[in-house]
Amino acid sequence: MIFNLAVFLCTLTAMEGVGYLAHRYIMHGWGWFLHRSHHEPHLGALETNDVYLAALALIAFALVALGRAGHAPLQWVGAGVAAFGVIYVIVHDGIVHRHWPFKPRPRNRYLKRLYQAHLLHHALKGRDNSVSFGFLYAPPLHRLKRQLRERRKHQ
Ligand SMILES: [Zn+2]
Ligand SMILES: [Zn+2]
């Protein structure tokens, strides 16, 4: 049980790193054609960017299925990936972008910092020069603002 919990928590933590790298180098790289919808004015309930979320769900599902087929710890890796997806949707879609009919507010310091940091991610238009690619961890805001100022100069 403790081992499974450790696998779950390690996966959840590692997913922030995976998410950061994917956002920075894939979604703002060759995968920009899908992510782009998220950096443009929002129209409907869904955006092409949601393909990434669907891919995440498929990966989680596949890992759990493999786990059940005999590679036991993979179930917990899958659960960690799924948990990251759920937390991401609540924080990013619900609290930051407020895509839902009811609008939860960022109440504590941690959520406020994530909220501000992600708004900074959306501060510059286009694929390049963005800052703050993380989802559930945000560096100090003054550092992000400094990066943003430097990148604006190069735009
Ligand atoms: Zn982005
Ligand atoms: Zn966003």
Side-chain angles (χ1 to χ4, degrees), residues 18-89:
V18 172
Y20 176 94
L21 293 173
H23 188 192
R24 181 161 190 172
Y25 297 106
I26 298 176
M27 296 159 86
H28 280 250
W30 58 264
W32 174 249
F33 69 105
L34 292 171
H35 185 54
R36 181 183 191 161
S37 64
H38 183 61
H39 282 264
E40 284 174 353
H42 202 71
L43 302 171
L46 289 173
E47 37 186 48
T48 20
N49 184 51
D50 292 331
V51 169
Y52 286 111
L53 210 56
L56 194 70
L58 271 179
I59 292 168
F61 186 80
L63 285 166
V64 172
L66 278 175
R68 295 189 75 91
H71 308 277
L74 284 182
Q75 276 182 66
W76 293 94
V77 175
V81 173
F84 178 82
V86 170
I87 298 170
Y88 166 77
V89 167

Side-chain angles (χ1 to χ4, degrees), residues 97-147:
H97 289 296
R98 323 190 88 205
H99 288 171
W100 297 344
F102 64 99
K103 318 246 180 247
R105 290 196 160 277
R107 287 188 195 280
N108 63 45
R109 275 173 61 186
Y110 165 70
L111 287 176
K112 280 183 184 152
R113 177 156 140 177
L114 280 187
Y115 176 80
Q116 297 289 349
H118 195 70
L119 291 187
L120 292 177
H121 175 67
H122 285 279
L124 291 181
K125 295 256 171 298
R127 187 183 93 167
D128 304 314
N129 298 319
S130 295
V131 298
S132 182
F133 291 92
F135 290 114
L136 302 179
Y137 166 76
L141 292 173
H142 63 85
R143 200 193 300 162
L144 291 174
K145 284 181 182 157
R146 195 179 57 227
Q147 283 176 0

